[in-house]
Every structure is written in C-alpha cells, then in structure tokens.
Amino acid sequence: MRIISSCIFLLVIVLTSQLTAQVRDSVLTKEEVITRALESNYGIKIANNQVEIAENNQSILNSGYLPSLAGVAGANYDLNNRTTEPENGDILEQRGIESNRYNAAVNLNYTLFDGLGRYYNYKSLKEQYNLSQLEARETIENTMLQLLSIYYEVARLTENIQVLEETLQISKERKIRAQYQFDYGQSNNLAVLNARVDVNNDSVILIDTRQQLANSKRDLNVLLNREISAIGFAVDTTVNFLPGLRLESFIENAEANNVSLLQIERNITISEYDIKISRSRYLPAIGLSGSYGWNRNRSAATAFFPGSTTITDGLSAGVSLSWDIFDGGQTFVQVQNAKINYENQELLKEQIELEVKRDIANALNNFENKYFIYKIQEENVSTNLDNFERSREEFSLGQITSIEFRQAQINLLNARTSLNLAKYDAKLAELQLLQLTGQLLNVEL
C-alpha cells in the first residue's frame, strides 16, 4: 500500500510541476482566441473564399452589360498543277502554281436589349453576394459558439483542477496527521489507511482531470489552427453575464437580426428575380455588331488571265433582332417553376419564423434556469464552505471522526465543481440565446 501511494504521489508531483510550468507560460484570452479563429480557422477561411467568389460573380464584368470584342486571323496557301486543254490550240500545262490568302478582322458584338434578362440577373447576383455574406456570418457564429464552448470547458477544468489540488492537499495533511496520531498511539491504523485511500482517490481524480484538460486544449488548438501539442497556455476564467434589459432588447429585435431569417429574405428576393429572368425570354433580343477586316488574296495566272493580288479592308456594322415567338413551351415551364419555387420560399419563411420563435423561447427559458441554478450553487458553496471549516475545527479537536470530516470535504468538493459547471453552462446558454437573436458577434464576451 505504501509503495502504491508513493508511486501515485510521485506521478502527481511530476504532472503538477509540468502542467503548472505550462500553464504559467501564457494566458490565452477570449479576444485573442476569437481574433485568431477569424484569421486561421479553416471553416471561416472557406466561407470567406465563398464570399469572394460571390463578389466576383456580382461584378459588372460578369453582368453581360459589356460588349464582346474578338480578333480573328487566317492564312491559306495552295500549290497546284494545272492542265488546260482548249478546243482549238495546244495543251497548256502549269506546274507548281502558288496562290495564298490572308485575312484579319476585329469583331464587336453588343446586346442592346434582351428582354431585361441581364438586368434582373445582375440584380440576382447582387442578392446572391448578400446571401453569401450571411452564410459566412452563420459559419462564423457557429464556429464562435463551438470555439467558446471548448474555451469555457478548458476554463471549467482549470478551475476544477484548482479545487482538486486544494482537496488533495487537505487529504495529504490529514494523512500526515493520522500517521502522527498513530505513531504516538492516539489512534489506530484504520485512520491511517482511510487517509491513504482518500489521498489515492483524490490523486487519481486529479490525474484524470488533468488529462481531460490537456485533451480540451488540443481540441481548442484544432479550431485555432495551432500546433496540436502547444498546450502550455492558460485561459481566462472570468465570466460576465449581460444585463437582463439588454437581453430583452435583443429578443425584441430578433426577427430583424436572426441570420436564418435574413437568409430566407434574400432567397425570396432571388426567387422573385428568377421569375423575371424567365419572363424576359418572352421578349425579343436586339443586338449590334461591328467589324473591321483586312484581306489579301494572291491568285496565280491562268491560260486566259494573268495572276493578280487583291487587298481589301473596311468596316461593317449591323443590327440584329431575334424573337422566339414559340419555343415549344420551355419558357412557360421555366416561369411556372420559378413561381412555384418562390411560393416554396415563402412557405419556408413562415416555417423558419415559427422555429426561430420557438428556439428563442427555449433558449431564454434554458438560460434563466441555468442562471438560477448557478446562483443556487453559489449559495450552496458558501454553505458547504462554512460546514467544512467547522468540521475541520471539530476534526482537529477530535470531536468528529475522519469519515465525517471526509464527507464534509466531499460535499465541498462537489459543491465547488457543481458551481463551476453551472457557471459555464449558464454562459453557454446565454451565448446560444445571443446567436439566435443575431447578436453573438456584436457583444463583448
């Protein structure tokens, strides 16, 4: 038993010294975590790239409003043999007759009118860009919530370790006291054995909690795109809650700020443009074309005509009109489908509105309950701390047994760890409420 206890003590001392040195290296604040995530998180990077794609798509260069200009050029070379047999005369044979042609042109095409299709398509691309920004915001919000959830888990385990270290220290002092009492014949060996068992149990719990802390720090490093093994940091364990009046104001304006509702509004607008784009095919298209060309043509001599070289260049322009009077009903089908899609978006909006109201009500109720539990746990810790201090005095005077003292110690330990859990659960519930009201990125955490 003593050998096992010594090994556990040694292991705890080694882990304590290593992790304490690591924890003292640096403190990673919430602001630093959020800033690094915005810069380095893979999901956020991908979302930002999607926004850039949408921004490129909504540019004037992708609108169809600009003309197209194309240059063409060509060259042809002929080498032939020719035999001419006139009705009256000698046969004329020609070998190695060469002829060549060269041409070059610059062609300009521009659509004057296409039934307003490109106009509404340009508007649609603008809305798709706005939608991509909202989608990126949703990704950032989800990442922030996940990030802070792990951050607060690291904070909770950090505070639990402090509680467990104090508990272990008290158990060690009790073991030493029990050993002295046994050595001087003031107690039996059972008290010593009980104290050793309690020290061992506290040591095992501390070791396991340290391992959980290390794992949580690695999870945090993954989200921050940091070196996985770089766990030599501490976190800020301070938790502040927003005033109730601010939360009420956020809830009142949730419909104007919730990212899901804003996205469905953009989708409805895009669907409206899709209908107009489809209808534009009912109207004619008018286009302009222009060209500047140069040609050089050298022909070989024949039996009746001498060879010649012709060079031409000049401008040409034209106006064209095209109108699909009947395209087999394809445009009609596209318009009808676009209308149905618009109707679906309207129905989806009503569904999302109900779901958001439900989620906000649930999140508010959850936060209020978590916060109430947190306040109760604060009182519970205060009560158990008073009870433990009295039990400690009574135990030192021999008025209670070691078992009764241990029970008071366990009660205090459970109360303090429950307080830590309640505090961070309440904070995460508040963050979820802030996300649903669209304010997660607008408040100081």
Side-chain angles (χ1 to χ4, degrees):
M1 178 69 72
R2 291 186 178 180
I3 295 175
I4 296 175
S5 299
S6 299
C7 292
I8 293 177
F9 292 156
L10 181 60
L11 181 58
V12 170
I13 290 173
V14 172
L15 289 175
T16 301
S17 61
Q18 291 179 344
L19 292 178
T20 300
Q22 292 176 340
V23 165
R24 289 176 180 174
D25 284 346
S26 61
V27 176
L28 198 60
T29 66
K30 291 185 284 291
E31 292 76 13
E32 292 172 338
V33 164
I34 293 173
T35 300
R36 183 175 179 87
L38 291 174
E39 295 174 351
S40 304
N41 180 266
Y42 288 117
I44 294 177
K45 282 185 176 181
I46 293 173
N48 289 334
N49 286 340
Q50 294 298 326
V51 173
E52 287 189 22
I53 292 175
E55 184 176 10
N56 293 334
N57 288 338
Q58 59 100 36
S59 168
I60 189 69
L61 299 176
N62 192 46
S63 65
Y65 275 110
L66 299 181
S68 63
L69 188 65
V72 296
N76 293 279
Y77 174 79
D78 296 324
L79 180 62
N80 299 301
N81 297 325
R82 180 184 299 155
T83 300
T84 303
E85 298 181 359
E87 293 183 0
N88 298 314
D90 298 330
I91 296 175
L92 177 63
E93 290 188 1
Q94 294 176 299
R95 301 290 181 179
I97 300 174
E98 293 183 353
S99 64
N100 48 57
R101 297 180 300 278
Y102 302 96
N103 64 84
V106 177
N107 299 321
L108 176 70
N109 289 284
Y110 182 68
T111 301
L112 282 178
F113 180 75
D114 66 345
L116 297 178
R118 63 181 173 182
Y119 172 77
Y120 292 119
N121 182 64
Y122 184 59
K123 292 286 188 180
S124 177
L125 290 174
K126 291 287 187 183
E127 287 300 324
Q128 290 176 31
Y129 170 68
N130 295 333
L131 178 61
S132 71
Q133 288 184 312
L134 292 172
E135 291 171 345
R137 172 186 154 186
E138 183 179 30
T139 299
I140 293 173
E141 287 182 355
N142 292 334
T143 303
M144 288 300 102
L145 194 61
Q146 182 185 12
L147 179 70
L148 291 171
S149 176
I150 297 177
Y151 184 90
Y152 285 130
E153 177 65 8
V154 173
R156 183 185 72 85
L157 292 171
T158 299
E159 291 195 295
N160 280 358
I161 286 175
Q162 295 174 357
V163 173
L164 291 170
E165 287 176 342
E166 294 176 9
T167 302
L168 177 59
Q169 183 61 34
I170 293 171
S171 296
K172 288 181 179 180
E173 293 173 357
R174 187 178 126 229
K175 184 181 80 70
I176 295 174
R177 178 184 176 86
Q179 186 65 49
Y180 283 153
Q181 289 177 339
F182 174 74
D183 292 340
Y184 289 99
Q186 297 178 357
S187 66
N188 55 32
N189 193 39
L190 181 60
V192 178
L193 294 176
N194 287 335
R196 288 177 180 173
V197 169
D198 292 338
V199 169
N200 291 342
N201 289 335
D202 292 343
S203 301
V204 170
I205 294 174
L206 178 59
I207 292 172
D208 183 62
T209 305
R210 288 189 183 280
Q211 182 61 50
Q212 294 177 31
L213 176 61
N215 293 343
S216 296
K217 286 185 176 182
R218 294 187 186 98
D219 292 339
L220 187 61
N221 286 338
V222 169
L223 287 178
L224 297 178
N225 193 16
R226 282 164 47 104
E227 176 62 38
I228 300 299
S229 60
I231 60 174
F233 63 88
V235 297
D236 183 8
T237 58
T238 304
V239 172
N240 298 314
F241 294 94
L242 294 176
L245 292 178
R246 288 195 68 187
L247 287 177
E248 291 179 5
S249 174
F250 292 159
I251 293 172
E252 290 176 358
N253 298 299
E255 290 188 6
N257 296 307
N258 179 272
V259 69
S260 296
L261 291 175
L262 293 175
Q263 286 182 25
I264 192 62
E265 289 288 351
R266 300 281 75 76
N267 281 323
I268 289 175
T269 304
I270 292 172
S271 297
E272 289 178 335
Y273 287 136
D274 287 342
I275 295 174
K276 295 176 180 179
I277 292 171
S278 298
R279 284 175 174 169
S280 69
R281 297 183 59 183
Y282 285 131
L283 300 177
I286 301 174
L288 285 178
S289 62
S291 176
Y292 172 77
W294 174 87
N295 294 272
R296 183 179 186 276
N297 190 2
R298 185 176 69 87
S299 59
T302 67
F304 308 100
F305 299 99
S308 64
T309 299
T310 304
I311 297 176
T312 61
D313 68 292
L315 294 170
S316 63
V319 178
S320 63
L321 183 145
S322 62
W323 194 349
D324 288 334
I325 298 176
F326 181 71
D327 61 356
Q330 294 181 3
T331 299
F332 176 80
V333 171
Q334 288 185 1
V335 172
Q336 295 304 310
N337 289 342
K339 289 181 178 179
I340 294 172
N341 184 59
Y342 175 80
E343 182 181 352
N344 286 340
Q345 295 296 327
E346 288 283 1
L347 294 173
L348 187 58
K349 177 185 176 181
E350 295 178 6
Q351 178 184 352
I352 293 176
E353 286 176 341
L354 287 175
E355 291 176 349
V356 168
K357 289 180 180 178
R358 176 205 62 193
D359 293 342
I360 289 177
N362 290 343
L364 178 61
N365 185 251
N366 183 51
F367 168 68
E368 291 174 342
N369 289 338
K370 297 291 186 182
Y371 189 75
F372 180 73
I373 292 172
Y374 166 58
K375 289 301 180 181
I376 290 179
Q377 291 295 349
E378 282 187 325
E379 297 178 3
N380 192 31
V381 167
S382 178
T383 301
N384 278 278
L385 183 60
D386 291 340
N387 178 65
F388 174 75
E389 292 298 336
R390 292 181 182 180
S391 299
R392 194 173 193 175
E393 293 176 2
E394 293 176 357
F395 178 70
S396 62
L397 296 175
Q399 296 177 354
I400 62 173
T401 65
S402 61
I403 295 177
E404 292 173 317
F405 176 73
R406 176 64 176 177
Q407 187 59 51
Q409 185 185 21
I410 291 175
N411 290 340
L412 178 60
L413 171 64
N414 291 337
R416 294 177 70 180
T417 54
S418 296
L419 173 62
N420 291 337
L421 179 61
K423 177 173 66 173
Y424 293 110
D425 278 351
K427 186 59 182 178
L428 290 176
E430 182 188 65
L431 294 178
Q432 291 171 350
L433 181 59
L434 289 174
Q435 182 189 26
L436 288 169
T437 58
Q439 300 296 335
L440 180 61
L441 305 179
N442 300 329
V443 298
E444 184 177 350
L445 302 175

